[in-house]
Amino acid sequence: MSDDWWKSAVVYQVYPRSFQDSDGDGVGDLRGILSRLDHLEWLGVDVIWLSPIYASPQADNGYDISDYEAIDPTFGTLDDFDALLTAAHARGIKIVMDLVVNHTSDEHPWFLESRSSKRSPKRDWYWWRPPREGFEPGAPGAEPTNWRAFFSGSTWAYDEESGEYFLHLFHPKQPDLNWENPEVRQAVYAMMNRWLDRGVDGFRMDVINLISKVLPLRDGEPLPGGLGNGFPLYACGPRNHEFLQEMHREVFAGREGRFLTVGETPGATVDDAVLFTDPARAEVDMVFQFEHVDVDHGPLGKFDPQPLDLVRLKAILGRWQAALGERGWNSLYWDNHDQPRVVSRFGDDRDHWAASAKALAAVLHLMRGTPYVYQGEELGMTNAGFTSIDQYRDIESLGAYDELRAMDVPEQRILDGLAAMSRDNARTPVQWDASPHAGFTTGTPWLPVTANHAWLNAEAQRADPDSVAAFYRALIALRHDEPVVAHGTFAMLLAEDPQVFAYRRVLGDAVLTVAANLSGQDATARVDAAHGSLVLHNLGADTTPYPAGAGEVPLGPWEVRVYLARQAAR
């Protein structure tokens, strides 16, 4: 196996809570995942990324960890994990863990010790600061900085016992670790090494570009409502690359070639990503960038979605493809546990559900980079269709609702935004069959199953050679069979076309041309497909060669055509 095996791999994200329940308590678990490995093997994926399964109070569905080396009883035991790891490896599938080390739970022993006294040896393991001078401790405005938290409100929580505040960029139950303290870093590296020794195959590193803060901590640019934008002061901070290089030396040096590392890097620019992923710098293999999934955010942010501007989306993705060509590597994704379902977001889940799900899959998977499939994405699962705030469980969505209502935004506008963009859209249970609760559980699911599971489910699609799942399987096989998909050059075509997403990949004598109509109207892709054979098509069986009128590919609504040509060396 080559050191960069992950360039030809496809990663499948499992959100354990919603994947498969084995014991009828309504929450997915490790034994449930084990029972569905045959589906993932059939699909052809190479890696499973597990969202957090560690011990946690579940304030943020496991992204608040109270013990990095214990499995939360909700999901099972370490024996269950070992059984899953062994069974996955027997099928040639690797397991990547979620690494959440920007913050812990406030119930983690490290934080409990840190909070116990100002003189605690672990006090400096977290960010503690006194109230702002001249303000009553605990009163509005007394927070050490004016930063706004990701989940609304201030990033500072007051601890009455010690009279100081602790920093939490996310929920108050997620205090930030102080990576300036070398003891913190060594404790994290030791934990990572123990997981690798246990047999895991790498890490997805949660918000890893937030671990270095600009010192001294200070106010950010004021925002409407009285808080400030601290993001420039804690994202891609001054020691971020130093910390990741140290992590590589302490954890991965001498283990190269086996593992996959991907850093989640909200707000990172192309230039940042080149530094993070340049192999010569030994930091991470690839990053998750957010620019393309911020493309439809409106004036009020994420929950004010705007119609997709395809030209702008292509410009973003094309820029990332170009920048991470020779140095670095792209990760490719539409969906994950933090994003709504792409077929409802950028596709057409009403009139062209299957065609748009397949077209969006093709344009993503055949770009240069490692594709990520989020559970249910391979089925074309749609948004949840929630209509009332009472149906939501996600703390981000609930916080946004309260915040926008306080701004006098009309309730229906807020509910429309949540219906389109809430993280709960990605967290409804996987739709395995048409039975009650979609075969996910024999009990009551923690989040309701989407109503369309009666016809949109894995069992029906596995039996249908023209299904969305069969198309994903063909896409994955094409990546494995044709080196041009993983290793070819990339050239965006028709950059200004508002309907067509087209590009070309070249490796040696292989030329792969992708032409997709991402609209509900007929279109023409004015591209030269080099007289190739049609190797992938989303509208049923079609062996039509490149059209006789060279230079134009006619496309129906949401149609994608992928041509592969072999050309003589020039």
Side-chain angles (χ1 to χ4, degrees):
M1 179 180 292
S2 66
D3 284 356
D4 61 355
W5 58 269
W6 33 263
K7 290 186 176 180
S8 301
V10 176
V11 183
Y12 188 97
Q13 183 188 357
V14 168
Y15 193 70
R17 170 176 292 272
S18 300
F19 191 69
Q20 178 65 60
D21 174 26
S22 71
D23 58 11
D25 67 354
V27 180
D29 48 47
L30 291 170
R31 291 184 181 181
I33 299 168
L34 177 61
S35 74
R36 296 295 186 180
L37 284 182
D38 286 348
H39 173 75
L40 302 185
E41 185 178 20
W42 173 85
L43 194 61
V45 300
D46 306 279
V47 181
I48 296 170
W49 151 29
L50 292 176
S51 287
I53 54 173
Y54 314 97
S56 167
Q58 303 293 325
D60 187 21
N61 285 2
Y63 283 88
D64 50 315
I65 296 168
S66 56
D67 187 340
Y68 285 110
E69 297 183 56
I71 303 298
D72 194 277
T74 301
F75 302 124
T77 66
L78 275 170
D79 286 342
D80 293 332
F81 175 79
D82 289 340
L84 174 62
L85 190 66
T86 298
H89 285 172
R91 289 167 167 81
I93 299 174
K94 296 178 180 292
I95 298 282
V96 165
M97 300 284 278
D98 219 315
L99 184 77
V100 187
V101 290
N102 174 72
H103 48 265
T104 69
S105 166
D106 66 346
E107 298 181 32
H108 194 291
W110 295 348
F111 186 74
L112 295 177
E113 171 63 26
S114 179
R115 193 175 202 168
S116 66
S117 167
K118 288 184 180 181
R119 294 180 297 277
S120 165
K122 285 189 169 60
R123 186 67 171 182
D124 194 39
W125 282 41
Y126 294 83
W127 296 94
W128 290 95
R129 293 292 185 272
R132 193 184 295 263
E133 189 173 347
F135 284 80
E136 183 71 21
E143 297 84 2
T145 70
N146 66 352
W147 299 352
R148 181 191 184 280
F150 281 93
F151 294 155
S152 77
S154 171
T155 60
W156 295 94
Y158 184 59
D159 178 58
E160 292 187 5
E161 190 74 22
S162 67
E164 291 191 331
Y165 290 82
F166 64 84
L167 178 69
H168 60 88
L169 295 183
F170 294 89
H171 191 275
K173 287 187 69 65
Q174 294 171 296
D176 277 47
L177 284 165
N178 177 12
W179 274 68
E180 296 290 326
N181 187 328
E183 292 181 355
V184 169
R185 304 198 301 273
Q186 289 303 317
V188 168
Y189 305 153
M191 172 269 293
M192 294 172 68
N193 272 305
R194 285 190 286 271
W195 279 112
L196 295 184
D197 291 342
R198 196 174 195 98
V200 305
D201 302 291
F203 298 99
R204 175 265 185 186
M205 302 177 184
D206 187 68
V207 295
I208 201 64
N209 67 321
L210 307 187
I211 59 176
S212 171
K213 280 71 169 172
V214 174
L215 297 178
L217 304 184
R218 62 178 185 269
D219 283 348
E221 193 71 26
L223 295 169
L227 292 173
N229 178 20
F231 194 79
L233 302 173
Y234 58 72
C236 298
R239 300 187 69 187
N240 210 156
H241 297 291
E242 174 193 341
F243 293 156
L244 287 177
Q245 289 166 11
E246 180 184 70
M247 177 191 288
H248 189 276
R249 291 192 303 271
E250 296 288 329
V251 178
F252 298 105
R255 302 180 187 254
E256 288 87 355
R258 174 181 156 195
F259 302 105
L260 179 154
T261 56
V262 52
E264 183 194 31
T265 56
T269 65
V270 166
D271 291 339
D272 293 326
V274 169
L275 296 177
F276 283 125
T277 66
D278 182 348
R281 294 173 58 84
E283 296 185 25
V284 294
D285 296 327
M286 64 195 85
V287 299
F288 289 134
Q289 58 95 358
F290 283 65
E291 194 175 355
H292 71 299
V293 291
D294 291 345
V295 70
D296 57 347
H297 293 186
L300 295 178
K302 172 180 178 177
F303 296 105
D304 184 27
Q306 307 299 303
L308 174 64
D309 181 340
L310 182 60
V311 172
R312 185 178 170 211
L313 177 66
K314 290 190 294 184
I316 292 169
L317 293 173
R319 186 169 67 254
W320 281 83
Q321 288 285 299
L324 297 183
E326 301 305 320
R327 296 169 56 202
W329 191 247
N330 283 286
S331 59
L332 308 172
Y333 76 96
W334 292 131
D335 287 2
N336 61 36
H337 63 290
D338 287 334
Q339 302 296 332
R341 294 291 184 177
V342 70
V343 70
S344 298
R345 183 183 194 177
F346 294 154
D348 180 349
D349 63 4
R350 303 178 76 176
D351 298 324
H352 300 280
W353 161 73
S356 64
K358 295 174 185 178
L360 288 164
V363 298
L364 183 82
H365 277 245
L366 299 177
M367 286 191 286
R368 181 170 49 197
T370 298
Y372 287 73
V373 180
Y374 178 68
Q375 62 183 42
E377 184 181 354
E378 79 279 14
L379 309 176
M381 279 181 60
T382 64
N383 278 355
F386 291 166
T387 57
S388 165
I389 191 61
D390 297 333
Q391 294 173 285
Y392 291 93
R393 299 290 180 270
D394 172 37
I395 58 174
E396 180 191 43
S397 300
L398 297 173
Y401 176 86
D402 291 341
E403 190 170 52
L404 292 169
R405 287 295 289 153
M407 295 167 59
D408 293 326
V409 177
E411 183 175 32
Q412 191 56 53
R413 182 177 175 185
I414 301 171
L415 291 175
D416 289 346
L418 291 174
M421 301 298 282
S422 171
R423 302 193 301 181
D424 278 339
N425 287 308
R427 300 176 181 187
T428 58
V430 173
Q431 296 164 203
W432 295 109
D433 58 41
S435 67
H437 307 315
F440 165 70
T441 183
T442 57
T444 301
W446 74 278
L447 196 63
V449 173
T450 303
N452 59 18
H453 77 273
W455 60 268
L456 198 171
N457 62 71
E459 184 177 64
Q461 293 198 25
R462 288 277 296 270
D464 179 3
D466 194 38
S467 66
V468 176
F471 189 82
Y472 268 83
R473 190 176 187 223
L475 269 174
I476 293 168
L478 187 62
R479 168 171 291 271
H480 291 158
D481 294 343
E482 295 292 343
V484 66
V485 178
H487 302 290
T489 61
F490 178 94
M492 186 70 78
L493 308 173
L494 308 177
E496 300 301 320
D497 192 306
Q499 289 177 269
V500 175
F501 196 140
Y503 54 85
R504 178 168 293 124
R505 309 290 310 283
V506 179
L507 181 69
D509 66 347
V511 180
L512 190 80
T513 303
V514 179
N517 176 11
L518 301 191
S519 80
Q521 294 78 43
D522 290 339
T524 299
R526 292 177 171 80
V527 297
D528 180 358
H531 300 283
S533 300
L534 187 65
V535 293
L536 205 59
H537 183 227
N538 67 332
L539 298 184
D542 188 341
T543 57
T544 307
Y546 180 66
E552 291 190 351
V553 177
L555 297 168
W558 293 100
E559 181 175 10
V560 59
R561 288 174 170 265
V562 181
Y563 294 96
L564 180 62
R566 305 289 181 187
Q567 60 183 12
R570 297 178 180 176

